[in-house]
Amino acid sequence: MAKEPRPIDELTIWDDAKAMLKKARREGVETVHDRLDQQTPHCKFCELGTTCRNCTMGPCRVSEKRPRGVCGADADVIVARNFGRFVTGGAAGHSDHGRDLIEVLEAIVEGEAPDYKITDEGKLFRLAGEVGIETEGRELMAVAEDLMECFFADFGSRKKSVSLLSRVPEVRKEKWAKLGMTPRGVDREIAEMMHRTHMGCDNDAPNTLIHAARTALADGWGGSMIGTELSDVIFGTPTPKMSTANLAVIKEDKVNLLVHGHNPVVSEMILAAAREPEMVARAKELGATGINVAGLCCTGNELLMRQGIPMAGNHLMTELAIITGAVEAVVVDYQCIMPSLVQISGCYHTKFIDTANKARFTGAIHFDFQPRTAMKQAREIVSIAIEAFAERDAGRVEIPGEPIEIMTGFSNEAVIEALGGTLDPLVKAIADGDIRGAVGIVGCNNPKIKHDSLNVGLTKELIKKDILVIVTGCVTTAAGKAGLLVPEAIEMAGPGLKKICGALGIPPVLHYGSCVDNSRIIQLCAALANELGVDISDLPVGASSPEWYSEKAAAIGLYAVASGIYTHLGHPPNILGSETVTNLAVSGLEDLVGASFFIEPDAVKTAEMFDERIKAKRKGLGLSE
Ligand code: SF4
Ligand code: MSK
C-alpha cells in the first residue's frame, strides 16, 4: 500500500516552500520529499557504512554475526575506506571546479577567451606574491601565466605541498608534517585515496583517515581556494551590496532565467548576455517587461556576491522554483543539480539547459560551453529562455510572498577594508568580548531534516550569544529569508554584536559566498591566528553544517577539523558501524589536530556546545569568557 505523504508543515519552515509543495501535490508533480518517503527505510548496512562493493569477491555486508568480508576486511577497514572515498568525491568536485578556473585563466593568457578578462589585477599580483612569483616591474599577463602554471602544478605530483599553504601558521604546518597530513598535490591525494582503498592496500582505519584528512586539506587549501581566488581575479572580488531572496524574486511580468550549480564561468556570461539591449528588446516584443536572472544554490551565491542578482532559493527550493510555473529556463553547470529538475521542467514550459560535458542530463538541451565562444553561446541560451516566455501558461503561474532584503558580498578583502585596512579592530572586538567568537555555518539542505529549521535555528541561537556567524552555500538563502542578513538583524543579536555590527552598519551574519568560498573562512582563521601568533585550533571559532547532504560538505567538514576548527554536523556521516572510526572523528582527532567533529541534531544544544568551546578557547588565550 502506498504510504501517506508527510504533512507539508513538517517538511519546511518556509511559507513560499509550503505554497509550492501544495501546488505540486495539486498538479501531481513529484518532489524530493515524495521520493525520500519511497526510499525510506534505507538499508541499515549502508547507513552504518558497513557494506563494501570494492571488489567482485563481494559485495559484502559485515555485522556482529558476520564480522569480516570475503577478503577479511572488518567493519573498521570497510567504514574507513567508504568514508575516505566519500570525502574524496567531495574534494574532487570542488577541486575540479578550481581547475576549470585555472583553465579560463590559461585561455585569457593565451588570448583564447575574448569574453573574459582579469578584473581584479591587484588581487592577481597579491596572489602571485603570496606563492613566491616575482611581480616587481612585470607585465600583468606574464605574472598571470606564472600564476596559472603554479596553480596547475598544485594539482600534480612534483610539489611537497600546495602553494597556498603559505597562508597557514607554521605551527599547524608542523603538526601536519608530523602526522603525514601535508597536502602535496590535489590530484595526487585524490588518486592515492582511490589506490589506498583498493582491495589489499590500506587496511588500517586510522591510517586511511589521516589520508582522508590530507585529501580534504588539498581541497580546502588547494582546489577550493584556487577556485575562490581565481573567480575573484577573473570576475572581481566581492564587495558589500544589497539584494533579495526567496521565490518572490521570480517575476510574473519578466522572462525568468535561473542559474544553478557552482561555477560562475557560465552564469557570468549568461547575466552579461541577458543585460544586452537587443535581448531585453526581444523579451519586450514577446510581452515581458524585461529579463530576470536569479540564482539557485552556489552559482546563485557566486553571482549574488559579485553582481547582486537575487536568490530564488537553496537546494530544497530548486524543484519548487520551477513549480511556480513562471521559469522560462534553468541553466546549470555542475554539482547539486537534482536530475529530477529535468522531469519537473517537462511538467511546465521550462527549458532545462546543461552546459558542461562532465555534467550532462538526459532530456536537457545541451551546450558544450567553451571560453572561446562563451558570449555567443550565452546569447543563444538567453534567446531560448526569451522565446519560452511565449509558451508560458499564465493560468499555472503562482509566485508566493514578497522578496526579503539581504546584504551580501563579504569577501575578506571587503571586511578588512570595512575595518580600516587591518584585522586589528576585529582582534580588539574579540579581545574585549564584544565578539566572543565566530562560527561558519555552511552547507546544504537534506530532506531528512525539516527544511532550513536547523540552519536558521542555530544561526539565531549563536548570534544571541555574541558569536558572529559567517554563512556560505545553501545556508545563505536560509539566513536571508529569516531576515538575518540585514543590518537590522542586530536586534536579534547579543549586546556585543549589536554594538560592533551596529557601528559598522553590517549584519551579525555575514554572507561569505559559495561552497568553494569556505576557503575564505579558513583563510580568515589563518590570518587571525598569524596575527595573534597562535595556532588556528587556539582561536574561539567553530564550523557547522547543520543540514548537510553532499560528499563536498564532508570534505569541507574534514578540512575544517584538520585545520584545527571544532566542527558540528547535524547528523552523522555513514560511519557509525565502526567504533574506531566514530571515536576518531568525535574525539581522537582532538589529540591529533586539536579539533574534532560533534554530532547534534538540536539547535539549542549545538549552540551551547559551541559556547562551551568558545569559553575554553577564550580562556586559553587569556581572555574573559
Ligand atoms: Fe568484500 Fe573485501 Fe571485496 Fe570489499 S574488498 S567487497 S569486503 S571482499
Ligand atoms: S550548493 S553542496 S547543497 S551548500 Fe553548494 Fe548547497 Fe550543499 Fe550543494
Side-chain angles (χ1 to χ4, degrees):
M1 208 174 71
K3 272 191 261 175
E4 274 294 301
R6 283 170 292 156
I8 283 172
D9 278 346
E10 286 177 17
L11 305 182
T12 178
I13 64 169
W14 303 119
D15 288 342
D16 61 346
K18 287 178 192 170
M20 288 306 101
L21 285 166
K22 278 182 201 146
K23 185 169 188 275
R25 287 188 183 172
R26 258 193 340 263
E27 297 183 349
V29 178
E30 187 185 78
T31 68
V32 63
H33 301 287
D34 303 314
R35 293 187 299 274
L36 175 64
D37 288 346
Q38 291 159 22
Q39 291 292 335
T40 308
H42 298 279
C43 165
K44 289 288 164 227
F45 290 94
C46 290
E47 278 183 336
L48 293 170
T50 49
T51 178
C52 181
R53 291 181 292 115
N54 289 11
C55 85
T56 61
M57 292 193 287
C60 302
R61 297 179 305 177
V62 299
S63 61
E64 245 173 62
K65 229 160 128 202
R66 291 173 298 180
R68 289 183 184 272
V70 176
C71 66
D74 63 11
D76 291 342
V77 168
I78 290 174
V79 169
R81 283 197 305 219
N82 288 340
F83 185 61
R85 285 194 172 191
F86 189 77
V87 167
T88 298
H94 283 148
S95 295
D96 202 37
H97 167 168
R99 185 197 339 260
D100 286 341
L101 269 307
I102 313 177
E103 286 186 347
V104 175
L105 182 64
E106 180 183 38
I108 294 172
V109 167
E110 291 174 351
E112 293 287 323
D115 306 315
Y116 297 93
K117 63 178 197 296
I118 292 170
T119 300
D120 192 339
E121 297 182 6
K123 179 148 188 171
L124 183 128
F125 279 111
R126 278 200 310 281
L127 266 173
E130 278 189 84
V131 297
I133 293 168
E134 182 57 54
T135 55
E136 199 57 40
R138 295 184 69 204
E139 292 290 328
L140 175 71
M141 283 302 163
V143 175
E145 185 173 359
D146 285 356
L147 188 65
M148 175 263 288
E149 293 292 355
C150 168
F151 284 162
F152 270 136
D154 277 342
F155 281 71
S157 305
R158 303 305 295 270
K159 286 189 174 178
K160 293 209 163 36
S161 65
V162 295
S163 50
L164 287 168
L165 250 47
S166 58
R167 294 174 168 177
V168 178
E170 285 306 319
V171 36
R172 173 89 352 211
K173 283 193 278 196
E174 283 161 20
K175 234 170 238 167
W176 290 343
K178 262 192 217 137
L179 291 166
M181 218 185 254
T182 306
R184 300 158 297 179
V186 176
D187 289 349
R188 177 179 187 168
E189 308 310 356
I190 290 168
E192 188 172 313
M193 179 55 87
M194 297 310 284
H195 178 189
R196 281 171 181 248
T197 51
H198 187 280
M199 203 295 277
C201 291
D202 198 356
N203 287 302
D204 180 63
N207 201 46
T208 308
L209 290 180
I210 296 273
H211 187 73
R214 174 151 61 175
T215 308
L217 288 170
D219 170 10
W221 296 94
S224 278
M225 199 167 268
I226 290 169
T228 293
E229 299 298 49
L230 289 188
S231 295
D232 285 357
V233 165
I234 295 167
F235 301 112
T237 303
T239 51
K241 53 185 69 68
M242 297 302 293
S243 186
T244 50
N246 78 17
L247 285 186
V249 307
I250 296 171
K251 298 295 170 202
E252 193 159 0
D253 57 348
K254 293 199 168 155
V255 170
N256 292 298
L257 189 158
L258 302 186
V259 287
H260 181 13
H262 280 78
N263 188 328
V265 167
V266 175
S267 45
E268 282 275 355
M269 284 300 130
I270 300 283
L271 182 65
R275 286 175 173 171
E276 289 185 335
E278 308 79 54
M279 294 286 163
V280 178
R282 177 63 187 150
K284 288 186 174 167
E285 268 172 33
L286 291 174
T289 61
I291 305 170
N292 178 34
V293 176
L296 293 168
C297 286
C298 281
T299 288
N301 278 310
E302 295 275 348
L303 263 70
L304 171 65
M305 283 282 280
R306 297 194 182 86
Q307 311 292 352
I309 70 159
M311 275 300 267
N314 55 7
H315 181 51
L316 285 188
M317 297 302 294
T318 57
E319 295 183 326
L320 305 184
I322 300 172
I323 292 169
T324 60
V327 175
E328 276 56 55
V330 179
V331 181
V332 305
D333 48 271
Y334 41 59
Q335 299 168 16
C336 301
I337 301 145
M338 288 193 261
S340 63
L341 298 189
V342 180
Q343 283 85 56
I344 296 186
S345 295
C347 298
Y348 300 89
H349 68 299
T350 308
K351 307 296 174 202
F352 186 90
I353 302 166
D354 69 32
T355 58
N357 266 340
K358 56 186 139 197
R360 291 197 62 170
F361 292 74
T362 306
I365 301 169
H366 177 62
F367 278 78
D368 182 9
F369 206 88
Q370 297 295 334
R372 191 168 224 317
T373 48
M375 199 55 186
K376 182 174 165 286
Q377 290 177 302
R379 287 188 191 115
E380 286 173 37
I381 291 170
V382 174
S383 295
I384 291 172
I386 295 170
E387 298 306 318
F389 185 77
E391 296 169 32
R392 191 195 281 181
D393 178 350
R396 290 184 72 197
V397 171
E398 181 185 334
I399 302 170
E402 289 297 321
I404 305 279
E405 292 254 293
I406 57 176
M407 191 184 235
T408 174
F410 290 96
S411 57
N412 283 324
E413 289 84 345
V415 168
I416 290 171
E417 197 183 314
L419 293 172
T422 76
L423 283 174
D424 294 349
L426 180 60
V427 172
K428 184 174 181 308
I430 294 172
D432 293 347
D434 289 326
I435 298 178
R436 295 181 49 243
V439 172
I441 307 186
V442 312
C444 327
N445 299 131
N446 186 322
K448 292 178 176 175
I449 297 165
K450 187 172 186 177
H451 177 209
D452 284 337
S453 59
L454 262 186
N455 287 336
V456 171
L458 179 60
T459 308
K460 285 186 174 170
E461 288 301 321
L462 289 174
I463 61 170
K464 272 192 228 163
K465 297 179 189 296
D466 282 334
I467 297 169
L468 180 75
V469 172
I470 293 175
V471 291
T472 63
C474 285
V475 181
T476 307
T477 316
K481 285 165 76 168
L484 290 159
L485 293 185
V486 281
E488 297 75 36
I490 55 171
E491 296 308 326
M492 291 185 252
L497 267 188
K498 197 170 180 176
K499 179 174 127 194
I500 298 291
C501 297
L504 291 168
I506 60 170
V509 182
L510 302 180
H511 176 217
Y512 248 56
S514 65
C515 292
V516 292
D517 292 340
N518 289 312
S519 67
R520 297 188 200 274
I521 303 180
I522 51 173
Q523 187 196 354
L524 179 63
C525 289
L528 273 173
N530 284 329
E531 178 98 5
L532 295 169
V534 298
D535 195 354
I536 296 173
S537 55
D538 297 321
L539 298 174
V541 299
S544 169
S545 195
E547 300 180 27
W548 72 285
Y549 88 90
S550 73
E551 292 172 327
K552 292 177 295 161
I556 293 165
L558 192 53
Y559 75 60
V561 169
S563 297
I565 301 170
Y566 183 58
T567 297
H568 163 251
L569 299 174
H571 62 281
N574 300 322
I575 60 169
L576 299 185
S578 162
E579 240 181 79
T580 307
V581 174
T582 306
N583 288 343
L584 198 62
V586 298
S587 59
L589 279 171
E590 190 75 52
D591 297 331
L592 299 177
V593 294
S596 63
F597 286 104
F598 74 101
I599 318 285
E600 174 53 61
D602 180 82
V604 174
K605 283 192 199 142
T606 302
E608 280 164 6
M609 293 191 61
F610 274 126
D611 197 55
E612 285 306 311
R613 179 80 173 192
I614 281 169
K615 275 184 194 158
K617 291 296 167 186
R618 291 185 61 84
K619 211 166 152 201
L621 290 172
L623 304 174
S624 67
E625 287 195 344

